[in-house]
Amino acid sequence: MITATQIRKIHTLKNIIGLDDDLYREMLMSFDVQSSKNLTYTEAAIFIEILEEKAVALNRWEKQPKKYSDLARDTDMATPAQLRMIEGMWRELCYFDNDKFAKKSLRKFLKAKFKIDDIIFLSKSKAIKVIQAIKGIKQNLKSAATL
């Protein structure tokens, strides 16, 4: 589920770029939605990245570094892209639309299932296992919803 912060950022970037409403709606249709409010958390992140790239190309926006890109990582530690993917997938599972709740529940999940205190301590191999576990949870939720 998209967050209020993501919605604000999308509309801010839309205005900075100067997108007309028709082109904006066409871009949303590539995600099979008619409103930014219908985007998932991950889809919104992708859409924001697309808009940021357009704004940077027009010299109207200074791109922020991606989350976790500033971490000094050993080769056996999870990559910043893996960490962002885990957070995005987990955010889609959260039933309560709150970033603080999502972070806290992810930490609880990691502690209970993988004996890891925080996402930044994941190794590459454990990150793969976490991603597979979250995919399994999503699949179980889809199966339960169809019953």
Side-chain angles (χ1 to χ4, degrees), residues 92-109:
E92 288 178 2
L93 286 179
C94 284
Y95 57 88
F96 192 62
D97 188 18
N98 181 295
D99 289 333
K100 214 175 210 181
F101 174 81
K103 187 172 183 166
K104 188 175 180 179
S105 64
L106 176 58
R107 288 182 76 173
K108 277 184 162 181
F109 171 75

Side-chain angles (χ1 to χ4, degrees), residues 58-91:
L58 295 170
N59 289 325
R60 297 181 185 166
W61 184 265
E62 189 172 318
K63 191 165 183 170
Q64 302 295 316
K66 290 184 177 181
K67 191 171 186 179
Y68 301 119
S69 63
D70 60 338
L71 289 177
R73 308 297 283 171
D74 290 338
T75 55
D76 62 331
M77 297 301 287
T79 64
Q82 284 177 311
L83 300 178
R84 289 189 301 270
M85 181 178 190
I86 290 167
E87 279 191 341
M89 291 173 66
W90 187 261
R91 191 67 174 85

Side-chain angles (χ1 to χ4, degrees), residues 113-147:
K113 300 291 183 188
F114 299 94
K115 309 296 185 246
I116 300 288
D117 288 322
D118 194 61
I119 192 170
I120 64 170
F121 300 123
L122 283 172
S123 64
K124 278 186 183 175
S125 60
K126 281 211 178 171
I128 291 168
K129 290 177 183 175
V130 170
I131 291 167
Q132 291 305 316
I134 294 172
K135 284 181 180 178
I137 293 169
K138 288 174 84 170
Q139 187 63 39
N140 288 341
L141 289 174
K142 283 182 185 177
S143 298
T146 59
L147 294 177

Side-chain angles (χ1 to χ4, degrees), residues 10-98:
I10 287 170
H11 287 279
T12 299
L13 286 164
K14 175 186 172 250
N15 292 333
I16 287 172
I17 295 168
L19 284 180
D20 65 11
D21 202 50
D22 291 336
L23 180 57
Y24 172 70
R25 298 288 170 205
E26 193 175 307
M27 290 175 77
L28 285 173
M29 288 304 294
S30 69
F31 292 95
D32 293 326
V33 297
Q34 294 182 357
S35 169
S36 61
K37 293 176 184 173
N38 298 334
L39 293 168
T40 66
Y41 183 83
T42 306
E43 289 171 338
I46 292 167
F47 191 47
I48 288 168
E49 193 169 318
I50 291 167
L51 293 175
E52 281 180 340
E53 287 173 6
K54 289 188 181 301
V56 168
L58 295 170
N59 289 325
R60 297 181 185 166
W61 184 265
E62 189 172 318
K63 191 165 183 170
Q64 302 295 316
K66 290 184 177 181
K67 191 171 186 179
Y68 301 119
S69 63
D70 60 338
L71 289 177
R73 308 297 283 171
D74 290 338
T75 55
D76 62 331
M77 297 301 287
T79 64
Q82 284 177 311
L83 300 178
R84 289 189 301 270
M85 181 178 190
I86 290 167
E87 279 191 341
M89 291 173 66
W90 187 261
R91 191 67 174 85
E92 288 178 2
L93 286 179
C94 284
Y95 57 88
F96 192 62
D97 188 18
N98 181 295

